[in-house]
Amino acid sequence: MDTETAARTTAWHEQMDAASRRFDDTEAQRDEVTRLRAVSESDVVDTEEQILARADRLLVTGEVPAQAVIELGRQDPVDSIRSLERVIGVANELQAANFLTRGARAAAAVARISLADNGREVPMGTGSMVSPQLLLTNNHVLPTRGAAESVVIEFRAEVDIDNLPNPTVRYRLAPGDFFVTDKHLDYTVVRVAPGPGGVAPGVTFGWNPLIAKPGKIVIGEAMNVVGHPSGRLKEISIRHNRLDLQLDHFLHYVSDTEPGNSGSPVFNDQWEVVALHHAGVPKKDDQGRVLRKDGKLWQSGDGDDAIDWIANEGVRVSVLLHDLGSRRFDPPQRALLDELGLAAVAPREVATARPPQTSAAESLVRGLRGRSTAFGGRRSVLFLHGRGQQGRDPVELRRNWTAGLNKGLTLAGLSPLDPADVHFPFYGDQLVESMDTREAVDSGPALYESLVAEAAHRAGMPDAGDLPADPRERELFGGFGAVVLGRLHDQLGWIAARSGLDSALIGAIFKDVAAYLDDERVRKGVLDTVLADAPSEGELILVSHSLGTVVAMDLLTQLPRESTVGLLVTAGSPLGIDGVYRRLLTGGPTRPERVGVWLNTWYAGDPIAIGCPLRQAWGPDLRDLPVENPKERAHDIAEYLAHAAVAATIGHTLSA
């Protein structure tokens, strides 16, 4: 055994011993859980704070049928802990038909980690993507940058639907770009080097977002673990796992996991990551010696799979995120960490989390022009991005958009695009600077509030008149907002509960849309910036996203007369909201005459596209194409473009 492997083995046994001590020290707490279960006649027990937070999360995300809650509320007051425990129990018993498909999506982001040593590969653990570029695993799996440089990451190391092994897709790590580790919490976060074409692995295989907010699980709920036990092909342990105890930093649970599951994500039934699996608790004799499954003393030569495991321990995601957030990073590392998303920011930190600002004294980053010889010189492709791109590299953004489109083109059997052939105007810095320097506009807040209010209404937020007529049922629904789910009265919270986006992000998008529409200086600054890098003549294929779809509509009134638009694509667009289309330069939903084909693609779970389909407001002369995006990336442009039907429309127009 080489020195590095020996060090990993020692570290793993240290984690196992620490987990065993914590298990022994909490015997009284486990006895109390047993007592509470007997009293409540329910497996679901926890502190009042945890029960309230869990019921809150399940109810606002629609995981419990409203009628089931009404029936439970007739037995006990809806705000009682007993009733809420039953609500959580119902959520565990009733699984939607998409439980397995959601699980398959979560499992796709899980990879096997193997040590590459002199032509041999030795499986040593599991890791999972938690952002497009960052992988999460244990410290005892990857304790140092050197260890990270010596491993291979394999996705799709599993059997297919016919029980045949899939060809794996392999990546190397880039710890020089990002590497954070902590021995006590036993976690490591490291960047995965991009694959062919510079595409990040998360773009291809997805990622499982980390959520800082409480309410993801309570004692007694089922847990699901995905990993590579003993280095085998990917396996999943579902339903017969149960959370037994919540400690300050760790969770204890029963599960059929094995040593190779080190670094595996532990999910709740909604496939949200609740913990990072890191150690098992072995059964011991009176002298503290580890026992085998056959009752005999365990020896190191027996192998870890011979141990009689009585419990497992995982690191709480919220604690892991708090530790990450307490560290200092240089700007490139911070940009990578920011890809975890706002959901990874603790609630008390969201208010102070701000995107990087560009001062007026600094030069603004300019956009990119495509090659004039592209597509035979007859046509041009222009990508028009949305808000929140300030401080980003337009080259990287254009590459990410193109990567998503190329995935869809490949699925459609069409040729991919070279990013260098695409025009990519960049107004991210200009938007922020113009918003920072503008004077206050009285109608600005009113417009923002009206956009959010209309979106909440379209998302199904009930008005007072929409509540049940029956006084008892009306009281129950009122109880949701007044006692259990106070944030349901917050319109952004209601919209967020029905999507995969954080309410702060949704609010920021609507805020920027309102600022663009309400202040002519902001609008002019953005349009001038876009026009500077847009083709001045010829046929244009204009692909826009989010706020960019609003900018695109105004841009169509500003393009030179020599330009025509053979295809307009709007993705994740707010153009169906009355408060948006009435403030366009056209003054309303008037289809631009210079546009040939208009394709509007939207996902029902995308809160920014809440006004879609657009035909209701804009008339029948456009094609509405609904698609299914991953819920946690509901508004992601790469996901929209990766759909074969969307990409095929663009590809066929280019080759016409």
Side-chain angles (χ1 to χ4, degrees), residues 49-50 53 57 130 136 185 187 209-217 243 246-251 266 272-277 314-327 340 342-349:
E49 180 183 13
Q50 291 284 357
R57 187 167 184 84
V130 292
L136 174 65
L185 295 178
Y187 81 87
L210 303 181
I211 302 170
K213 287 183 179 179
K216 294 183 289 296
I217 198 164
L243 178 62
Q246 298 204 54
L247 309 182
D248 288 342
H249 292 173
F250 302 94
L251 300 180
V266 183
E272 298 170 328
V273 182
V274 298
L276 171 67
H277 181 74
V315 185
R316 297 180 66 160
V317 163
S318 55
V319 176
L320 183 158
L321 288 171
H322 180 78
D323 183 75
L324 263 179
S326 68
R327 299 171 182 257
L340 292 177
L342 281 175
V345 182
R348 63 180 178 275
E349 299 169 353

Side-chain angles (χ1 to χ4, degrees), residues 95 99 217 221-226 236-242 255 257 264-272 274-275:
Q95 291 303 322
F99 174 78
I217 198 164
E221 279 198 272
M223 307 173 79
N224 309 298
V225 185
V226 182
I236 180 170
S237 174
I238 63 173
R239 309 300 298 141
H240 291 295
N241 315 311
R242 185 182 65 187
S255 176
T257 57
S264 295
V266 183
F267 300 93
N268 60 17
D269 271 351
Q270 290 69 52
W271 296 100
E272 298 170 328
V274 298

Side-chain angles (χ1 to χ4, degrees), residues 202-220:
V203 173
T204 303
F205 299 101
W207 66 91
N208 293 306
L210 303 181
I211 302 170
K213 287 183 179 179
K216 294 183 289 296
I217 198 164
V218 294
I219 293 172

